[in-house]
Amino acid sequence: MQAAPSAPSAPSVTYNVLKRREAMIAYLFIAPTLVGFLLFVVGPMIIGIGISFFKWNLLTPPVFVGLDNYTRLFSGDPRLGTIYSTTVRLAIQVIICNIGFGLFFAVLLDRKMPNFLRNFFRLSYFFPFVVSGAAVAIIWTFLFNKDLGPLNYYLGLLGVNERINWLLSSDWSPIAIIITDVWKNVGFYILVFLGGLQGISRDFYEAAEVDGATGWQQFRSITVPLLTPTILFLLVISVIGALQIFDQPNILTGGGPGDATRTIVMYIYEQGFKFFDMGYASTLALSLFVIILILTVIQFRLSRSWVFYQ
Amino acid sequence: MSTLAEQRTTTLETPIQRARKPFQFRRVLPLLILGFGSLLMIAPFVWIIQAAFGETSKAFVIPPLWFPVNPSLDNFISAFEQVPFQLFTWNTLKIATIVTIGQLITCSLAAYAFARLQFRGKNIVFFLLLSSLMIPSQVTLVPTFIIMRQLGLYNTHASLILPALISPFGVFLLRQYFLTIPAELEDAARVDGASVFTIYLRIILPLSGPVLTTLAILTFVAQWNSYIGPLIYINKIELQVITVGLTLMRGRFGAGALGPIAAGIFMAVVPVLIVFLLLQRYIIKSIVTTGIKT
């Protein structure tokens, strides 16, 4: 990794003392991080696995129930299938929209234009990303309002005569959540794609132009292949993020109507902090962890066949 | 040979030909699309500002208004009357500041050790820290809550601050930057008898302004915006933070009273907006570099 610091040309005894002292200092330096890491990352992971074998409502002592929570996870919970399929469907749509729109706007922004204009666009797209998900969701509950919301009003002007019941219909509420999420996050994707685009040498395009390649051909054969590392990065972190969507549905729809927009993290929250079923909530959390882990590993494996490193 | 030369002249001529044409729809179209997109991004904020400063009864009407009617601070006053918004703001500010300073200290110390010092177990510990980046924070929600409760920290700000004082991401970000600082600078100081801690404090930290700023911004904004933590750990209104406070306000006013809620949103967003506008070049750069390096 890192070359050892140049050994002072002193006798080896002193050198050993120095080396030991350096290690001591290093342990002191990493101590705060390590203690926090053990207490709040490793500890909870292990405790979580432990709790998953118990039934515990926090008020009475925990009762060991063996694999009951796991049996319930795999076969005894009629809501879980719906909730996971809602989560996965929302995640897929959010990821596709964010990556698609992100790439689209990044390519447009990468063209020649006055600097003030580019800065203005970049700022306006990125700003919602730094605003809290809670504030964004509250803003959108008003925008989505069926009777007084601006969205339905302008859709009406465009000829959509029926007032859409964005937050209370099971057809539209997932779309409302996707719109809110993309509005909030697409700026991040644009910025990362812009970074990737700036890393592509102009020479490739000049060479392609000499060969008479059209804009679309250049996009397909130069831009996209050279952006595949960026796409992989965004894909990995957006899968992790999108499977954990919580703020927006919790505030916009509360998971409803029925379970139409209830995500797995909302369900974990509900089981843990509304029904106080700590054991099952931990089991659900572990199932999400395993799914995310498997998906991440699969993505890295598959990436060997489609990601192109220069 | 001659054909190649011909081709070259034609390609050289194209930009000039393009420039000569006064107006080309194809070249303006991307700008129009971008402009329409940024209109969609900005409009909701404009509408909220209108509702925050305008007359309460006119805030939420059809057709929508884009400028405040009879501007006043009435909505802000009723926001403060309904919920202790000043406490929410103070709590959020306090927590975010402590967490940010804490992370700068813990992450920079650890990052320096990983970047420069030799010790047994270095690679394995670093690998463990890095792999924890893949653990979704929501997975440890329940057990962390139980730990906090056992420690007697339920309903205290410590339950929000303590877990956030460290950050594997921060360690990684700073380590990558420290590795780019030439080691010769430190060697010179070491020859002069400087201790490891002095080198860290006097050489590394002063040279790391940009990356420390980046980490500070990312941490502060994330903490300012956090929602699920306070929702779980804080059950007293006087200890609550802005994000949950806003949803409480919505509960009290009902979905109809946009004005005061918009005032609350305005107050929640403005500090982030100021930080963002002042330091945007750090934010944007950090997003791009972490995006590429990871």
Side-chain angles (χ1 to χ4, degrees):
Chain A
M1 220 169 236
Q2 175 64 16
S6 51
S9 50
S12 67
V13 182
T14 339
Y15 177 64
N16 273 339
V17 171
L18 279 177
K19 235 176 102 178
R20 214 173 300 147
R21 190 189 286 164
E22 182 178 305
M24 278 303 297
I25 295 169
Y27 291 128
L28 283 178
F29 271 39
I30 62 169
T33 296
L34 214 55
V35 170
F37 184 66
L38 292 175
L39 259 176
F40 298 114
V41 182
V42 180
M45 277 305 286
I46 296 167
I47 293 173
I49 296 171
I51 297 172
S52 72
F53 298 104
F54 287 86
K55 188 154 190 66
W56 191 16
N57 63 7
L58 292 180
L59 298 172
T60 52
V63 179
F64 182 78
V65 292
L67 292 174
D68 277 13
N69 287 321
Y70 290 90
T71 323
R72 186 168 164 204
L73 179 79
F74 286 112
S75 56
D77 187 348
R79 289 174 70 193
L80 189 61
T82 324
I83 286 163
Y84 257 124
S85 89
T86 305
T87 310
V88 169
R89 255 184 300 151
L90 275 178
I92 291 174
Q93 295 174 79
V94 160
I95 292 167
I96 290 177
C97 290
N98 273 327
I99 290 188
F101 284 119
L103 181 58
F104 178 72
F105 283 111
V107 168
L108 292 187
L109 265 173
D110 199 40
R111 297 163 67 98
K112 242 188 165 165
M113 67 177 76
N115 257 338
F116 77 92
L117 212 55
R118 178 177 294 122
N119 284 339
F120 170 76
F121 286 142
R122 221 164 48 167
L123 277 181
S124 61
Y125 286 107
F126 187 64
F127 183 61
F129 182 70
V130 289
V131 175
S132 78
V136 165
I138 293 174
I139 295 173
W140 279 89
T141 46
F142 290 106
L143 293 171
F144 281 131
N145 187 290
K146 187 186 166 208
D147 299 314
L148 295 172
L151 193 62
N152 271 353
Y153 174 77
Y154 289 110
L155 285 176
L157 291 189
L158 290 177
V160 182
N161 288 321
E162 182 203 3
R163 278 190 188 149
I164 298 169
N165 203 348
W166 288 101
L167 300 178
L168 293 172
S169 98
S170 50
D171 291 333
W172 289 100
S173 54
I175 296 174
I177 292 185
I178 293 163
I179 292 175
T180 313
D181 188 280
V182 173
W183 183 79
K184 175 168 165 38
N185 292 322
V186 74
F188 169 77
Y189 290 78
I190 295 175
L191 272 194
V192 175
F193 271 129
L194 266 179
L197 286 171
Q198 276 150 19
I200 301 176
S201 162
R202 289 279 141 208
D203 298 352
F204 291 116
Y205 295 104
E206 277 160 23
E209 226 151 79
V210 170
D211 293 343
T214 63
W216 174 246
Q217 282 171 332
Q218 290 178 24
F219 176 76
R220 270 195 48 193
S221 331
I222 300 173
T223 312
V224 172
L226 291 178
L227 275 183
T228 46
T230 312
I231 296 174
L232 174 69
F233 164 75
L234 286 173
L235 210 55
V236 169
I237 62 160
S238 62
V239 166
I240 296 175
L243 288 173
Q244 296 184 77
I245 295 180
F246 176 79
D247 299 9
Q248 279 95 329
N250 196 48
I251 292 172
L252 277 168
T253 61
D259 278 340
T261 53
R262 197 173 310 277
T263 62
I264 182 66
V265 173
M266 290 181 69
Y267 195 49
I268 295 172
Y269 172 78
E270 187 183 88
Q271 291 293 334
F273 304 103
K274 282 194 179 145
F275 304 153
F276 293 101
D277 190 343
M278 294 299 161
Y280 191 50
S282 294
T283 315
L284 290 170
L286 285 173
S287 75
L288 176 62
F289 172 62
V290 171
I291 289 172
I292 288 179
L293 197 68
I294 292 173
L295 285 179
T296 308
V297 171
I298 290 178
Q299 287 181 80
F300 277 114
R301 280 279 158 80
L302 288 182
S303 74
R304 286 176 202 157
S305 65
W306 65 269
V307 173
F308 175 79
Y309 291 100
Q310 274 183 72
Chain B
M1 214 40 208
S2 65
T3 41
L4 191 66
E6 267 169 30
Q7 268 181 359
R8 224 175 251 160
T9 37
T10 45
T11 45
L12 276 175
E13 260 170 24
T14 5
I16 303 164
Q17 285 170 342
R18 264 187 209 157
R20 235 182 262 145
K21 289 192 178 171
F23 182 84
Q24 250 189 353
F25 185 65
R26 263 189 60 199
R27 297 186 64 205
V28 182
L29 185 64
L31 293 182
L32 286 177
I33 297 172
L34 283 169
F36 180 69
S38 65
L39 189 72
L40 290 181
M41 303 306 277
I42 294 170
F45 290 119
V46 177
W47 189 63
I48 286 298
I49 292 170
Q50 164 278 130
F53 288 95
E55 206 174 287
T56 315
S57 60
K58 299 269 170 62
F60 200 24
V61 290
I62 287 276
L65 296 172
W66 295 98
F67 294 99
V69 180
N70 300 325
S72 72
L73 293 176
D74 289 355
N75 288 320
F76 290 83
I77 294 165
S78 61
F80 278 105
E81 275 168 5
Q82 279 293 318
V83 289
F85 211 88
Q86 69 285 2
L87 283 180
F88 296 162
T89 313
W90 167 246
N91 292 336
T92 316
L93 192 67
K94 182 184 109 183
I95 295 168
T97 308
I98 295 175
V99 164
T100 306
I101 294 170
Q103 264 195 33
L104 287 177
I105 295 171
T106 62
C107 293
S108 62
L109 281 170
Y112 181 69
F114 286 120
R116 283 291 197 269
L117 304 178
Q118 301 302 319
F119 57 96
R120 203 187 285 231
K122 175 171 153 176
N123 291 340
I124 182 85
V125 174
F126 188 66
F127 173 77
L128 281 177
L129 278 180
L130 265 195
S131 51
S132 79
L133 286 178
M134 264 185 264
I135 302 177
S137 57
Q138 327 282 29
V139 165
T140 50
L141 215 58
V142 171
T144 313
F145 175 79
I146 288 167
I147 293 177
M148 289 300 171
R149 207 169 147 274
Q150 293 307 114
L151 293 174
L153 296 177
Y154 178 62
N155 249 336
T156 66
H157 287 159
S159 63
L160 302 175
I161 294 170
L162 285 177
L165 284 180
I166 63 138
S167 158
F169 167 76
V171 173
F172 178 66
L173 183 75
L174 298 188
R175 172 190 173 265
Q176 298 303 92
Y177 190 87
F178 292 168
L179 285 176
T180 65
I181 298 174
E184 291 80 36
L185 290 171
E186 293 165 61
D187 292 340
R190 204 168 286 138
V191 169
D192 292 344
S195 72
V196 174
F197 188 73
T198 312
I199 293 171
Y200 155 81
L201 197 67
R202 293 282 163 78
I203 297 181
I204 297 295
L205 290 190
L207 285 174
S208 308
V211 77
L212 293 174
T213 313
T214 298
L215 182 62
I217 298 164
L218 293 177
T219 310
F220 189 88
V221 170
Q223 206 56 43
W224 185 272
N225 292 339
S226 75
Y227 169 68
I228 195 167
L231 189 66
I232 290 170
Y233 293 118
I234 306 297
N235 199 14
K236 277 191 199 143
I237 192 156
E238 66 269 23
L239 291 179
Q240 204 45 277
V241 300
I242 287 182
T243 47
V244 181
L246 284 175
T247 62
L248 290 177
M249 255 173 101
R250 192 181 59 151
R252 295 219 175 154
F253 283 111
L258 173 62
I261 297 172
I265 291 173
F266 184 80
M267 289 187 280
V269 169
V270 162
V272 178
L273 177 68
I274 292 170
V275 171
F276 180 64
L277 287 179
L278 287 179
L279 302 170
Q280 48 145 319
R281 108 196 128 88
Y282 287 113
I283 301 180
I284 287 175
K285 212 172 156 192
S286 70
I287 296 291
V288 171
T289 45
T290 49
I292 292 167
K293 276 185 183 160
T294 311

